Amino acid sequence: MTGTGATDVLTRLLHDWQQAFNAHRPAEIAALFSQDALFQGISPQLGHGPQEVFDYYARVVRGTTAQVEVVSGGRLSEEIVHGFAEVTFTAPTGDVHLICLSVVAKRAGGSWLIHQYHASTRHVGGGSAVRAGGPPM
């Protein structure tokens, strides 16, 4: 199943993620993840649950910002949505990092939480998407 409902859910959820990220509030970011979440940021280590999400985002350099655009979404069930987003991270130095993000979210009570999160470097025109330096996290 696909539909705008799934895209709307992801847009709201990732908007909250973006707001917390840009304000460097790792506890708020972690609260957006389920207790059994799988988290793969731009690092070789797979994270599990909100505490590891918190630890990951607490290490991000203050002043780094993110701009998220949901590009597609679908519904696996009434309680599970999935989709893709493009994220542009800007480091305080001005370095820009383009990321592809795959997300699965599930409804828990009246809220939607991120259940799986996978980020990978986005390449443009066959070259590296990163303009100097490494990923911001």
Side-chain angles (χ1 to χ4, degrees), residues 14 17 33 37-42 46 56-57 87 89 99 101-104 114-119 137:
L14 292 175
W17 175 91
F33 286 78
L38 295 175
F39 176 83
Q40 179 71 55
I42 303 299
L46 178 63
Y56 182 89
Y57 284 112
V87 184
F89 288 100
I99 303 297
L101 182 61
S102 171
V103 176
V104 176
I114 299 170
H115 183 62
Q116 291 184 8
Y117 175 110
H118 178 262
M137 8 196 183

Side-chain angles (χ1 to χ4, degrees), residues 90 94-97 128-133:
T90 305
D95 293 339
V96 175
H97 310 276
S128 174
V130 178
R131 272 195 320 188

Side-chain angles (χ1 to χ4, degrees), residues 70-90:
V70 174
V71 295
S72 69
R75 190 174 289 279
L76 297 173
S77 73
E78 288 301 312
E79 305 299 317
I80 301 173
V81 297
H82 65 101
F84 293 95
E86 294 179 345
V87 184
T88 302
F89 288 100
T90 305

Side-chain angles (χ1 to χ4, degrees), residues 4-65:
T4 58
T7 302
D8 293 341
V9 167
L10 293 174
T11 298
R12 285 190 301 274
L13 188 56
L14 292 175
H15 174 267
D16 292 346
W17 175 91
Q18 176 183 302
Q19 296 292 76
F21 181 92
N22 289 348
H24 194 73
R25 295 190 300 251
E28 288 182 29
I29 297 171
L32 298 171
F33 286 78
S34 66
Q35 289 301 310
D36 58 347
L38 295 175
F39 176 83
Q40 179 71 55
I42 303 299
S43 75
Q45 187 174 1
L46 178 63
H48 298 87
Q51 183 60 53
E52 291 186 25
V53 171
F54 173 88
D55 294 344
Y56 182 89
Y57 284 112
R59 291 188 301 265
V60 173
V61 175
R62 284 190 183 274
T64 302
T65 61

